[in-house]
Amino acid sequence: MKGLSIITSMVAAIGTTILFKMLGYFQFIKWNPIGYTKTFLFLKGTNVYLKWIILFLVIWGICFLLYYLGLLFIKIPVSITSFTIGLIIAIVLEWIILDADSIEKTIKKISIPFICIVIVAVRFIMESAIFHYKDNPLEK
């Protein structure tokens, strides 16, 4: 089960990172996905590709945790839990990134494509986790 969780979270992280790059390229979001590097002094002069690799690794870790979080909600329908968790994650991330004072300001500036990407990624991870748990393909 560990190998499947690593591969599933890697695929989700690759897809999410590519989609974040596309969101930034087509300006669907008002912030830069690798803009977090401005706060860290040791990343100021580094290569852009290294910044994207670090973002990928962070997303991979989050996806790995979400994989096992999905197993906790095995009795609840995945569509409800993935939508709820994905929406919460997306709103919290936008709130942190936009540095808004209140939730109303965050909701006014929120990016719908960003929310959709986060919800789809969470749905993929949780659905895969529950499928792998029920099927146990490594034990057959």
Side-chain angles (χ1 to χ4, degrees), residues 67-129:
Y67 185 91
Y68 287 104
L69 181 70
L71 294 177
L72 296 175
F73 299 108
I74 200 163
K75 299 286 183 185
I76 305 170
V78 179
S79 59
I80 296 170
T81 56
S82 64
F83 181 78
T84 307
I85 292 173
L87 190 63
I88 291 170
I89 290 171
I91 290 174
V92 167
L93 283 176
E94 287 264 3
W95 191 7
I96 292 170
I97 291 168
L98 295 175
D99 198 28
D101 297 334
S102 64
I103 196 76
E104 291 93 19
K105 290 181 182 178
T106 304
I107 291 174
K108 288 179 184 176
K109 295 180 180 179
I110 206 156
S111 171
I112 301 299
F114 176 73
I115 291 175
C116 292
I117 288 173
V118 172
I119 289 174
V120 167
V122 171
R123 173 79 186 252
F124 169 73
I125 293 166
M126 293 181 79
E127 193 79 46
S128 298

Side-chain angles (χ1 to χ4, degrees), residues 56-72:
F56 163 75
L57 292 174
V58 169
I59 293 172
W60 189 11
I62 292 169
C63 290
F64 187 75
L65 293 174
L66 280 173
Y67 185 91
Y68 287 104
L69 181 70
L71 294 177
L72 296 175

